[in-house]
Amino acid sequence: MGEIIAIANQKGGVGKTTTSVNLAKALVLRRKKVLLIDIDPQANCSSGMGIENTQTSIYDVLISGSMNGAVIAKEHFPDIVPSTRDLTGAEIELVGLENREYRLKKALGAIRGNYDFIFIDCPPSLGLLTINALSAADSILIPLQCEFYALEGLGKLLSTLKYVRDAFNEHLHIKGVILTMYDSRLNLTSQITDEIKKFFGENLFSTVIPRNVRLAEAPSFGKDIFEYDKNSAGAESYMKLSGEFLSREKKNEQQKG
Protein backbone atom coordinates (compact mmCIF):
# COMPACT_ATOMS: atom_id res chain seq x y z
CA MET A 1 0.00 0.00 0.00
CA GLY A 2 1.42 3.37 -1.03
CA GLU A 3 2.70 5.79 1.56
CA ILE A 4 0.97 9.19 1.59
CA ILE A 5 3.35 12.08 2.30
CA ALA A 6 2.31 15.71 2.71
CA ILE A 7 4.94 18.24 1.69
CA ALA A 8 4.11 21.17 3.91
CA ASN A 9 5.31 24.30 5.64
CA GLN A 10 3.15 27.24 6.71
CA LYS A 11 5.81 29.64 5.43
CA GLY A 12 5.62 30.35 1.72
CA GLY A 13 8.57 30.41 -0.66
CA VAL A 14 10.51 27.60 0.99
CA GLY A 15 10.57 25.19 -1.95
CA LYS A 16 7.50 23.03 -1.30
CA THR A 17 6.39 22.87 -4.91
CA THR A 18 9.93 22.58 -6.28
CA THR A 19 10.52 19.65 -3.95
CA SER A 20 7.15 18.05 -4.71
CA VAL A 21 7.70 18.06 -8.47
CA ASN A 22 11.39 17.18 -8.58
CA LEU A 23 11.53 14.59 -5.80
CA ALA A 24 8.51 12.86 -7.37
CA LYS A 25 10.20 12.86 -10.78
CA ALA A 26 13.50 11.61 -9.33
CA LEU A 27 11.68 8.67 -7.74
CA VAL A 28 9.97 7.89 -11.07
CA LEU A 29 13.43 7.81 -12.66
CA ARG A 30 14.30 5.26 -9.99
CA ARG A 31 11.36 3.15 -11.21
CA LYS A 32 8.92 4.00 -8.44
CA LYS A 33 5.21 4.54 -9.08
CA VAL A 34 4.37 8.02 -7.82
CA LEU A 35 1.20 10.11 -7.63
CA LEU A 36 1.49 13.87 -7.12
CA ILE A 37 -1.49 15.79 -5.74
CA ASP A 38 -1.65 19.58 -6.10
CA ILE A 39 -3.92 20.88 -3.34
CA ASP A 40 -2.67 24.49 -3.50
CA PRO A 41 -5.08 26.99 -5.15
CA GLN A 42 -2.08 28.69 -6.78
CA ALA A 43 -1.69 25.50 -8.87
CA ASN A 44 2.07 26.01 -9.26
CA CYS A 45 2.72 22.30 -9.07
CA SER A 46 0.32 21.68 -11.96
CA SER A 47 1.67 24.47 -14.18
CA GLY A 48 5.23 23.39 -13.30
CA MET A 49 4.41 20.04 -14.90
CA GLY A 50 2.94 21.72 -17.96
CA ILE A 51 -0.72 21.16 -17.03
CA GLU A 52 -2.93 24.22 -17.44
CA ASN A 53 -6.48 23.18 -18.33
CA THR A 54 -8.11 19.98 -17.14
CA GLN A 55 -11.60 18.48 -17.11
CA THR A 56 -11.31 17.24 -13.53
CA SER A 57 -9.13 18.49 -10.67
CA ILE A 58 -8.53 18.14 -6.95
CA TYR A 59 -11.51 20.46 -6.48
CA ASP A 60 -13.84 17.79 -7.87
CA VAL A 61 -12.17 15.14 -5.71
CA LEU A 62 -12.74 17.12 -2.51
CA ILE A 63 -16.35 18.00 -3.31
CA SER A 64 -17.31 14.49 -4.46
CA GLY A 65 -15.11 12.55 -2.04
CA SER A 66 -13.87 10.29 -4.83
CA MET A 67 -11.25 10.37 -7.58
CA ASN A 68 -13.74 10.25 -10.46
CA GLY A 69 -11.03 10.03 -13.11
CA ALA A 70 -9.08 13.00 -11.76
CA VAL A 71 -5.68 11.32 -12.12
CA ILE A 72 -3.71 12.40 -15.19
CA ALA A 73 -1.21 9.71 -16.19
CA LYS A 74 1.89 10.81 -18.12
CA GLU A 75 4.42 8.25 -19.29
CA HIS A 76 7.85 8.63 -17.63
CA PHE A 77 6.43 11.23 -15.23
CA PRO A 78 4.57 11.10 -11.93
CA ASP A 79 0.82 10.74 -12.26
CA ILE A 80 -0.84 13.94 -11.07
CA VAL A 81 -4.14 15.20 -9.70
CA PRO A 82 -3.95 18.87 -10.73
CA SER A 83 -5.29 22.00 -9.10
CA THR A 84 -7.31 24.78 -10.72
CA ARG A 85 -8.62 28.20 -9.73
CA ASP A 86 -11.87 26.52 -8.64
CA LEU A 87 -9.99 25.38 -5.56
CA THR A 88 -9.97 28.96 -4.23
CA GLY A 89 -13.61 28.63 -3.16
CA ALA A 90 -13.38 25.01 -2.03
CA GLU A 91 -12.72 25.84 1.63
CA ILE A 92 -16.05 27.65 1.84
CA GLU A 93 -17.91 24.82 0.10
CA LEU A 94 -16.24 22.18 2.29
CA VAL A 95 -17.54 23.76 5.49
CA GLY A 96 -21.04 22.42 4.90
CA LEU A 97 -20.02 18.93 3.80
CA GLU A 98 -20.05 15.77 5.91
CA ASN A 99 -16.60 14.63 7.13
CA ARG A 100 -15.13 17.78 5.63
CA GLU A 101 -11.63 17.13 7.06
CA TYR A 102 -11.44 13.61 5.60
CA ARG A 103 -12.64 14.06 2.01
CA LEU A 104 -9.18 13.52 0.52
CA LYS A 105 -8.41 10.57 2.80
CA LYS A 106 -11.57 8.82 1.65
CA ALA A 107 -10.79 9.44 -2.03
CA LEU A 108 -7.21 8.22 -1.73
CA GLY A 109 -8.27 5.04 0.07
CA ALA A 110 -9.49 3.58 -3.22
CA ILE A 111 -6.24 4.13 -5.17
CA ARG A 112 -3.31 4.26 -2.75
CA GLY A 113 -2.53 0.60 -3.43
CA ASN A 114 -1.64 1.55 -7.01
CA TYR A 115 1.40 3.62 -5.95
CA ASP A 116 4.63 3.38 -4.01
CA PHE A 117 4.36 7.00 -2.90
CA ILE A 118 1.70 9.70 -2.99
CA PHE A 119 2.96 13.26 -2.48
CA ILE A 120 0.61 16.12 -1.59
CA ASP A 121 1.80 19.66 -2.33
CA CYS A 122 0.12 21.76 0.38
CA PRO A 123 -0.74 25.47 0.48
CA PRO A 124 1.19 27.74 2.89
CA SER A 125 -1.71 28.08 5.34
CA LEU A 126 -3.68 26.03 7.84
CA GLY A 127 -7.16 25.78 6.34
CA LEU A 128 -9.42 22.92 5.31
CA LEU A 129 -7.25 22.14 2.29
CA THR A 130 -4.13 21.61 4.39
CA ILE A 131 -6.14 19.81 7.08
CA ASN A 132 -7.44 17.41 4.41
CA ALA A 133 -3.88 16.76 3.27
CA LEU A 134 -2.52 16.18 6.77
CA SER A 135 -5.52 14.04 7.77
CA ALA A 136 -4.89 11.80 4.75
CA ALA A 137 -1.11 11.62 5.14
CA ASP A 138 0.99 9.00 6.90
CA SER A 139 3.82 11.49 7.28
CA ILE A 140 4.98 15.03 6.54
CA LEU A 141 8.05 16.16 4.64
CA ILE A 142 9.17 19.68 5.58
CA PRO A 143 11.24 21.87 3.22
CA LEU A 144 13.06 24.59 5.18
CA GLN A 145 14.75 27.57 3.59
CA CYS A 146 18.18 28.39 5.00
CA GLU A 147 17.16 31.77 6.40
CA PHE A 148 16.55 33.22 9.85
CA TYR A 149 12.79 33.44 9.28
CA ALA A 150 12.65 29.68 8.75
CA LEU A 151 13.70 29.21 12.37
CA GLU A 152 11.06 31.68 13.52
CA GLY A 153 8.32 29.65 11.82
CA LEU A 154 9.31 26.29 13.32
CA GLY A 155 7.32 26.77 16.51
CA LYS A 156 4.17 27.54 14.55
CA LEU A 157 4.72 24.54 12.27
CA LEU A 158 5.17 22.14 15.18
CA SER A 159 2.09 23.58 16.90
CA THR A 160 0.13 22.86 13.73
CA LEU A 161 1.39 19.26 13.70
CA LYS A 162 0.35 18.77 17.32
CA TYR A 163 -3.09 20.21 16.59
CA VAL A 164 -3.61 17.89 13.60
CA ARG A 165 -2.39 14.86 15.55
CA ASP A 166 -4.69 15.62 18.47
CA ALA A 167 -7.75 16.44 16.37
CA PHE A 168 -7.56 14.45 13.12
CA ASN A 169 -4.63 12.07 12.62
CA GLU A 170 -2.82 10.65 15.62
CA HIS A 171 -0.44 8.63 13.44
CA LEU A 172 0.96 11.61 11.50
CA HIS A 173 4.74 11.86 11.94
CA ILE A 174 7.64 13.81 10.51
CA LYS A 175 9.16 11.96 7.57
CA GLY A 176 12.07 14.33 7.29
CA VAL A 177 13.29 17.90 6.93
CA ILE A 178 14.96 19.15 3.73
CA LEU A 179 17.17 22.25 3.63
CA THR A 180 16.45 24.27 0.49
CA MET A 181 18.01 27.33 -1.21
CA TYR A 182 21.27 26.32 0.45
CA ASP A 183 24.26 28.63 -0.09
CA SER A 184 27.43 27.22 1.43
CA ARG A 185 29.25 30.54 0.94
CA LEU A 186 27.22 32.22 3.68
CA ASN A 187 28.11 31.91 7.37
CA LEU A 188 24.41 32.28 8.17
CA THR A 189 23.67 29.08 6.25
CA SER A 190 25.96 26.96 8.43
CA GLN A 191 24.61 28.60 11.59
CA ILE A 192 21.01 27.89 10.62
CA THR A 193 21.91 24.33 9.57
CA ASP A 194 23.44 23.70 13.00
CA GLU A 195 20.32 25.01 14.75
CA ILE A 196 17.98 22.91 12.62
CA LYS A 197 20.16 19.84 13.17
CA LYS A 198 19.91 20.35 16.95
CA PHE A 199 16.15 20.71 16.63
CA PHE A 200 15.35 17.80 14.29
CA GLY A 201 18.30 15.45 14.73
CA GLU A 202 18.12 12.39 12.46
CA ASN A 203 14.97 13.73 10.80
CA LEU A 204 17.16 16.20 8.88
CA PHE A 205 18.22 14.89 5.46
CA SER A 206 21.95 15.19 4.84
CA THR A 207 21.25 16.07 1.19
CA VAL A 208 20.67 19.81 0.72
CA ILE A 209 19.06 21.63 -2.21
CA PRO A 210 21.26 24.51 -3.40
CA ARG A 211 20.23 27.87 -4.76
CA ASN A 212 20.19 27.13 -8.47
CA VAL A 213 19.10 29.27 -11.40
CA ARG A 214 18.04 26.25 -13.47
CA LEU A 215 15.71 25.08 -10.68
CA ALA A 216 14.08 28.51 -10.67
CA GLU A 217 13.74 28.60 -14.46
CA ALA A 218 12.30 25.14 -15.07
CA PRO A 219 8.67 25.78 -13.92
CA SER A 220 8.26 28.71 -16.32
CA PHE A 221 8.75 26.20 -19.14
CA GLY A 222 6.31 23.70 -17.60
CA LYS A 223 9.15 21.26 -16.95
CA ASP A 224 10.76 19.51 -14.00
CA ILE A 225 14.50 20.00 -13.52
CA PHE A 226 15.39 16.66 -15.12
CA GLU A 227 13.48 17.49 -18.28
CA TYR A 228 14.81 21.06 -18.32
CA ASP A 229 18.48 20.49 -17.45
CA LYS A 230 19.38 17.02 -16.22
CA ASN A 231 23.03 18.03 -15.77
CA SER A 232 22.36 20.97 -13.46
CA ALA A 233 23.27 21.14 -9.77
CA GLY A 234 19.53 21.19 -9.01
CA ALA A 235 18.92 17.91 -10.85
CA GLU A 236 21.92 16.32 -9.18
CA SER A 237 20.74 17.35 -5.70
CA TYR A 238 17.19 16.04 -6.16
CA MET A 239 18.45 12.75 -7.54
CA LYS A 240 20.76 12.45 -4.54
CA LEU A 241 17.84 13.31 -2.23
CA SER A 242 15.71 10.58 -3.79
CA GLY A 243 18.48 8.07 -3.12
CA GLU A 244 18.70 9.11 0.54
CA PHE A 245 14.90 9.03 0.74
CA LEU A 246 14.77 5.42 -0.50
CA SER A 247 17.66 4.38 1.75
CA ARG A 248 15.68 5.63 4.74
CA GLU A 249 12.63 3.73 3.51
CA LYS A 250 14.62 0.51 3.26
CA LYS A 251 16.10 1.03 6.74
CA ASN A 252 12.64 1.64 8.23
CA GLU A 253 11.28 -1.51 6.60
CA GLN A 254 14.18 -3.56 7.99
CA GLN A 255 13.59 -2.17 11.48
CA LYS A 256 9.88 -3.04 11.27
CA GLY A 257 10.69 -6.52 10.01
Side-chain angles (χ1 to χ4, degrees), residues 192-239:
I192 289 172
T193 301
D194 289 342
E195 288 300 314
I196 293 172
K197 195 173 291 183
K198 288 177 190 174
F199 205 90
F200 286 106
E202 291 185 356
N203 277 328
L204 180 64
F205 281 88
S206 60
T207 304
V208 298
I209 308 301
R211 285 192 178 277
N212 182 250
V213 172
R214 307 301 271 174
L215 272 177
E217 290 174 344
S220 64
F221 292 89
K223 296 180 178 181
D224 60 73
I225 189 60
F226 300 98
E227 193 182 13
Y228 184 64
D229 187 351
K230 64 181 180 180
N231 297 315
S232 66
E236 182 181 338
S237 62
Y238 274 109
M239 185 56 75

Side-chain angles (χ1 to χ4, degrees), residues 13-174:
V14 298
K16 287 190 302 295
T17 298
T18 300
T19 295
S20 298
V21 170
N22 294 306
L23 178 56
K25 178 59 178 287
L27 289 169
V28 168
L29 292 173
R30 291 183 182 273
R31 301 183 182 278
K32 298 298 179 182
K33 183 69 173 172
V34 182
L35 174 64
L36 187 53
I37 295 174
D38 187 355
I39 201 169
D40 189 340
Q42 295 179 80
N44 290 334
C45 188
S46 303
S47 61
M49 285 187 64
I51 298 169
E52 297 288 351
N53 299 305
T54 60
Q55 293 272 327
T56 310
S57 71
I58 190 63
Y59 167 83
D60 303 286
V61 172
L62 292 169
I63 299 304
S64 68
S66 66
M67 279 298 165
N68 286 338
V71 176
I72 295 176
K74 298 176 71 177
E75 192 176 2
H76 307 307
F77 290 88
D79 290 354
I80 183 170
V81 178
S83 176
T84 64
R85 291 179 183 175
D86 292 339
L87 197 59
T88 306
E91 299 224 25
I92 298 171
E93 295 182 58
L94 283 169
V95 169
L97 296 180
E98 185 180 358
N99 295 321
R100 61 191 182 188
E101 297 91 356
Y102 301 103
R103 310 288 290 184
L104 181 58
K105 182 176 182 178
K106 178 189 173 187
L108 287 177
I111 66 164
R112 67 181 294 174
N114 299 335
Y115 297 93
D116 296 305
F117 303 105
I118 297 174
F119 290 115
I120 309 173
D121 184 30
C122 299
S125 61
L126 182 64
L128 275 172
L129 296 177
T130 301
I131 296 256
N132 261 271
L134 296 180
S135 296
D138 300 304
S139 60
I140 178 172
L141 202 56
I142 306 170
L144 273 182
Q145 190 175 358
C146 292
E147 291 186 356
F148 173 74
Y149 292 115
L151 295 177
E152 279 196 332
L154 278 180
K156 185 181 290 187
L157 177 62
L158 294 176
S159 294
T160 296
L161 282 176
K162 184 179 185 307
Y163 166 69
V164 172
R165 281 194 195 108
D166 291 344
F168 307 109
N169 184 359
E170 64 179 338
H171 301 294
L172 182 68
H173 64 277
I174 295 175

